[in-house]
Amino acid sequence: MRVLVVEDFEVLARTLGTGLRREGMAVDVVLDGDDALERLAVTRYDVVVLDRDVPGTHGDDVCRRIVADRAGSRVLMLTASSTVKDRVEGLGLGADDYLPKPFDFAELVARVRALGRRPTALVPPVLECDDLTLDPARRVASRGGRRLDLSPKEFGVLECLLAAQGRPVSAEDLLERVWDEAADPFTTAVKTTVRRLRTKLGDPPVIHTVREGGYRVGAP
Amino acid sequence: MRVLVVEDFEVLARTLGTGLRREGMAVDVVLDGDDALERLAVTRYDVVVLDRDVPGTHGDDVCRRIVADRAGSRVLMLTASSTVKDRVEGLGLGADDYLPKPFDFAELVARVRALGRRPTALVPPVLECDDLTLDPARRVASRGGRRLDLSPKEFGVLECLLAAQGRPVSAEDLLERVWDEAADPFTTAVKTTVRRLRTKLGDPPVIHTVREGGYRVGAP
DNA sequence: CGTCGGCTGACACCTCATTGACACCGGCGG
DNA sequence: CCGCCGGTGTCAATGAGGTGTCAGCCGACG
């Protein structure tokens, strides 16, 4: 779990950093609001532990920005003031939790952990065609329920062809999509890979050849 | 927003019901744990405000069931006892927030609202796969009942892999999640750590390699 | 303050699936 | 019947990934 600690009181900041690290989290620490925004622009954090009163951009504004960014970071607000009014305000800003100082470290950890239980990443749809299925996220393909053991290039080519939904894909396109960098146009790589794919896919044939046009999977 | 209030003290229950309704939420109220489970089986709630000490099925068990069901409800635990230990325990059960009595109504509302905004936590508090279990909160992992003695990095990597639920996790992702700051992309750290993990996990192998795709735990 | 031991990550080396070139074959269209 | 485009068989080079080892670092402990 990736955590950003925004806290200007150096001793506390360091303590939080090492403490959370000991809990197995990947922790970055910054001492003011401006640095926080900078880090947030670069890296995606699961949880931001945010002192409300930090130099530079105010904690409230940092919080607003995080919420507005919709990057999916959860915010745990940390403050000296602990009136109910403050707490309600903080939560109203979009913070997901609120912990008044002084706090117990074990509780902070528990709350950060609760915030960090991520929703499973959105699954890109599973590609299908007849009895063929391919799951890009899991990197698994199967035909008629039987798992296919595909090499990376084979998998990539099949993925492209399935994604094209019946439209033919030229060798050049495949080269560009599946192979990195611009490979020389006279390569036989695609040809060879498609052949191996066909062998592994078995009968009846799934990959059709479109003369001069490349390869196609499924109805045109 | 749909809310279920589970509270046996009738006066408080009624107050919560009307109060939350006044805030524009759709509220159902039940007086004990068994009724709570019944309602939960029928209706999908965004947030469950759960008194820990209710008649019938205990609040802790209701909480566990909610989390296990993965129906997407968030839990706000409510209790008379307010020691840090209690709070940490409650959050460890999978509750998303914890509010000790007596509480301020405005704060309760703010917290319920915050929970409603939050994307559902779909990752259970204790990760499992076959005979492998890992408890992030207690920092304990075991296989077939036998405790594993893992280093922090090893633990972190295994945690990530289990949380991915069968999807492969790339070395870059692992680097980003488990190691802090931007580690250089050519590091051999992940490779080394995975090897040590494999050794400690023993047979049969749990961590599978997905060529060009990283590592995977469990069935795809 | 020195030493010990565990944790980490780099390096060198090994292995083998993967990959792509080459040479040759076959069938279809003109 | 001929020319091409594409399919096949084969093989050597490649490089991703696994393993053994070692040294630096840091905290624990005497």
Side-chain angles (χ1 to χ4, degrees), chain A residues 3-194:
Chain A
V3 181
L4 178 65
V5 173
V6 187
E7 165 65 62
D8 63 312
F9 182 33
E10 282 197 44
V11 179
L12 179 55
R14 210 182 343 266
T15 311
L16 288 177
T18 55
L20 290 174
R21 268 185 211 112
R22 219 192 309 275
E23 293 294 320
M25 304 174 187
V27 186
D28 294 348
V29 177
V30 296
L31 302 177
D32 68 65
D34 298 331
D35 285 355
L37 290 178
E38 215 166 279
R39 295 258 29 165
L40 282 162
V42 178
T43 315
R44 209 186 134 286
Y45 292 92
D46 298 299
V47 179
V48 180
V49 176
L50 177 62
D51 187 352
R52 202 166 172 192
D53 305 300
V54 284
T57 310
H58 189 267
D60 286 357
D61 295 319
V62 176
C63 180
R64 266 189 277 264
R65 285 282 286 276
I66 294 173
V67 174
D69 279 358
R70 297 234 178 271
S73 304
R74 252 54 55 80
V75 178
L76 171 56
M77 204 83 121
L78 220 56
T79 35
S81 51
S82 69
T83 68
V84 169
K85 184 163 158 294
D86 280 323
R87 272 179 272 175
V88 172
E89 268 179 27
L91 292 168
L93 282 175
D96 296 284
D97 203 347
Y98 199 103
L99 202 52
K101 297 180 189 176
F103 53 85
D104 185 279
F105 188 71
E107 182 173 0
L108 174 76
V109 171
R111 287 191 179 272
V112 169
R113 217 180 265 298
L115 286 177
R117 283 197 284 262
R118 304 210 56 76
T120 19
L122 302 175
V123 274
V126 178
L127 301 170
E128 286 177 316
C129 173
D130 295 332
D131 59 346
L132 225 190
T133 66
L134 182 146
D135 186 333
R138 296 181 189 281
R139 286 192 167 243
V140 168
S142 56
R143 176 153 198 208
R146 263 230 304 295
R147 285 275 299 283
L148 298 169
D149 180 29
L150 303 182
S151 78
K153 293 281 188 287
E154 290 159 5
F155 191 89
V157 167
L158 187 56
E159 186 179 350
C160 274
L161 292 176
L162 280 170
Q165 302 189 63
R167 279 186 302 281
V169 183
S170 72
E172 295 77 46
D173 279 356
L174 286 172
L175 251 192
E176 192 173 302
R177 293 228 166 81
V178 180
W179 278 259
D180 29 23
E181 52 207 286
D184 80 297
F186 301 123
T187 183
T188 65
V190 174
K191 197 177 158 187
T192 311
T193 305
V194 168

